[in-house]
Amino acid sequence: MSLSNRTRPYVTIAQRSIGDPILQNALAGLQERLGKGALNSYTEISDSESFRKKAHEIRMNAIDNLDFLLERLADKIEENGGFVHFAPDAKSAVTYCIDIAKRNGVRRIVKGKSMVTEEIGLNSALESENIEVTETDLGEYIIQLAGEGPSHIIAPAIHKTREQVGALFSEKLGIPYTDDPPTLTAAARKALREKFFAADMGVTGCNLACAETGHITTVSNEGNIRMSSTLPRIHMAFMGMERVTAKLTDHAVLFDLLPRAAIGKNMSGYISYVGGPRQSDHVDGPEEFHLVIIDNGRSRILADKNLREILCCVRCAACLNVCPVYRKIGGYAYQSPYCGPIGSVITPLLRGVNDYKDLCQGETLCGACKNICPVHIDLPRLLLELRKKLADGDPEWDVTRANPFEKAVFMVWSMLIRNRDIYDLFLKTSGFFQKFLPRRHRMIHRLPPPFHGWTDKRDLPPLASESFIQRWERMKKNG
Amino acid sequence: MNNHKNVTLFVQCLIDAMYPHVAEKIVRVFEKTGVSVDCPRDQTCCGQPAFNAGYRKEAVVAAKRFIEIFETSEAIVCPSGSCVYMVRRHYPELFENDPKWRRRAKDVAAKTFEFTEYLVDILHHVAFGATFDGKVTYHDSCHLNYGLGIRTQPRKLIAGVGKAEFVEMPDSDRCCGFGGTFSVKFPDISAAVLEEKVETIVAAGADAVIGADMSCLMNIQGLLNRKNIPIKTLHIAEFIAGESS
């Protein structure tokens, strides 16, 4: 049933993570703090279930009217003197950014944390144009210095210990080694201040935009996004095209839930509303404001009524913080900036369902993700939709049948379960052959391929000599 | 005492083939409540393994068969949250484009109950004269807990067992790592999730771990046995049934 692990990075990276006790500890600690924090925080809202359903409706309503809302948002921003670029793909978004940077002689960029810029590979593209890019979120800064990618959507350096950060800062920032978090944070702050003041351009993401008022909203806990968007001459914000709502009152609901879901707090440190460049009556802000609205595969999801629900996501990462699988395998196994349950759905859709099939098949469907999602996305249902495509192929998504052997197994299975006589015969035959399997304490110790994975680590109870139905029938006959 | 209710038992294929003694205990529990039990001989599987692996056409075969066998029943009771979730939640979904079957699926879904849910919420019966000498803990199976919202019912039933000392383990609602075909396709990940579940059970100091879904218990039992840990895994029916009356 399984291919060689060499062709399955999800499995090989997962195995590596499972064998890393430091990472295991970090992931358990993360879930303990953030996952439980979120669930506790929801209890402070009266009837949080209905509140989250309302949030779902707000998001679905926006998704269903996306064309109208984006047009309205763009018009408003342009009215305020901003520029809007609709990027059909990653290349268009990146090229636009490079063009604007070059035209303005930009040498140095500071960035607020943004997953969509990770998705489009913005940093490496800018660096290859000899433009210096500095991540200013502490976690992002750490992994940038280390030359690594994020392993969590909001806690990107969760895989790093403070000792590792101490050694990294000592090497890269030239400070004496320490593993004292306040000292390390102060060192990062000092280094980043210089970057902020020297930057010609600030790049940020966008947590949510508002069509009614024509602004984008960014949320941070370190204040770095606000500095990135106000200090440099130019501010360029990137947003996935789904990240818009109709009305400002929608933000009140969603920003009540977002910090609760993300960090278990009822409010974030900073919420910034940006609607364009500095106006004549503003004391600060950029001279130029650009908003890049990115499609990059989202229209295709939008067109599929069974899947568009995933576009409700506000990237709070709460699903990562409760997922039993993410807890063990960490972020890198998902091979994309989007990891955990959300990554298991969105990455195959954005990058190819067949290529990333292990992501959507490698989840237990336990439902903890759905239970915590602030916008009530039915993630298990979406995983099942993807599995359906993989099982029988789906030309609309260019998906081919992933495993013809497994298909054959289930076709045979569907014949067996159709007729109790045949089913009983199957049980009886299996019962006969299981006698040849090695046992320990009356349980089966080793199964033949393709089921051997089960008995690599655990035993399996044998089939009973007589099924309950057979026994029931026998007892009925005997009165 | 229950206006002579009749229940039809859907055994769950796993219990039928591997744990027939659990089904016998279920019958015993119903006998003690005065409810008459029927168990159609033709039943096999609800189709969940195929559905969860993505094979909808094959799952439809199982679903239609299930509906045909059980639709004349007064109430269908199944000792597995995940099978009940399949019937209640996914059957109507399977027939999205087939109004006739969808209606039949919904009718069946509306009268399909999980074992502990039926005992506590419908029959209001929580004690059956059983005793247990020792400390027990409870594992919340995912489809039962997150899918059907059944958390209190099994605990009420456990409280109805004499002498048993109940200890709530931390994260009792975290997945055991079974996930059906997932456990065979991704055995290392599945086992890593399971390892932590078993560590938690051991740390609780329980003599037995109770569950209401045999598939999770089979998974847990598999590792306990491999590690020679003498903690019993018991389906809640086994735990509460007591001696035959």
Side-chain angles (χ1 to χ4, degrees), chain A residues 15 36 327-328 378 387 406-407 417-418 420-421 440-441 445 455 458-459 461 464 468-469 471, chain B residues 16-17 19 24 41 43-44 52 55 58 65 89 171 185 188 190 196 219 222 225-226 228:
Chain A
Q15 284 167 336
K36 288 189 179 162
R327 181 185 180 89
K328 291 291 147 197
D378 193 344
R387 292 183 185 187
E406 192 182 74
K407 173 72 179 175
I417 58 135
R418 224 181 284 224
R420 186 73 209 195
D421 291 326
R440 229 172 116 260
H441 305 169
H445 197 58
T455 45
R458 69 207 123 178
D459 299 325
F468 175 74
I469 297 290
R471 201 175 294 186
Chain B
D16 179 37
Y19 302 96
E24 288 179 353
R41 187 243 168 200
Q43 62 177 282
T44 52
N52 280 357
Y55 298 93
E58 289 74 15
R65 188 178 156 76
R89 164 74 200 264
D171 305 311
K185 286 186 195 173
D188 293 331
S190 170
E196 203 175 344
N219 192 36
N225 194 70
R226 178 65 58 97
N228 297 314

Side-chain angles (χ1 to χ4, degrees), chain B residues 106-209:
Chain B
K106 279 188 158 178
D107 288 346
V108 165
K111 55 182 178 179
T112 301
F113 300 89
E114 188 276 328
F115 177 62
T116 67
E117 174 189 39
Y118 192 80
L119 291 180
V120 177
D121 297 348
I122 307 293
L123 299 181
H124 308 291
H125 210 127
V126 294
F128 305 88
T131 56
F132 184 90
D133 216 355
K135 205 184 214 185
V136 298
T137 191
Y138 175 73
H139 165 66
D140 285 279
S141 291
C142 300
H143 287 134
L144 196 71
N145 170 33
Y146 293 124
L148 302 171
I150 296 173
R151 286 174 278 270
T152 56
Q153 296 89 332
R155 288 176 170 81
K156 284 180 185 162
L157 291 167
I158 291 170
V161 172
K163 293 207 285 188
E165 184 193 341
F166 178 68
V167 52
E168 195 74 70
M169 65 173 151
D171 305 311
S172 64
D173 58 357
R174 186 181 304 134
C175 182
C176 72
F178 175 59
T181 52
F182 165 82
S183 59
V184 177
K185 286 186 195 173
F186 301 88
D188 293 331
I189 302 174
S190 170
V193 177
L194 173 61
E195 285 270 0
E196 203 175 344
K197 174 57 70 180
V198 165
E199 279 166 23
T200 318
I201 293 167
V202 171
D207 301 302
V209 53

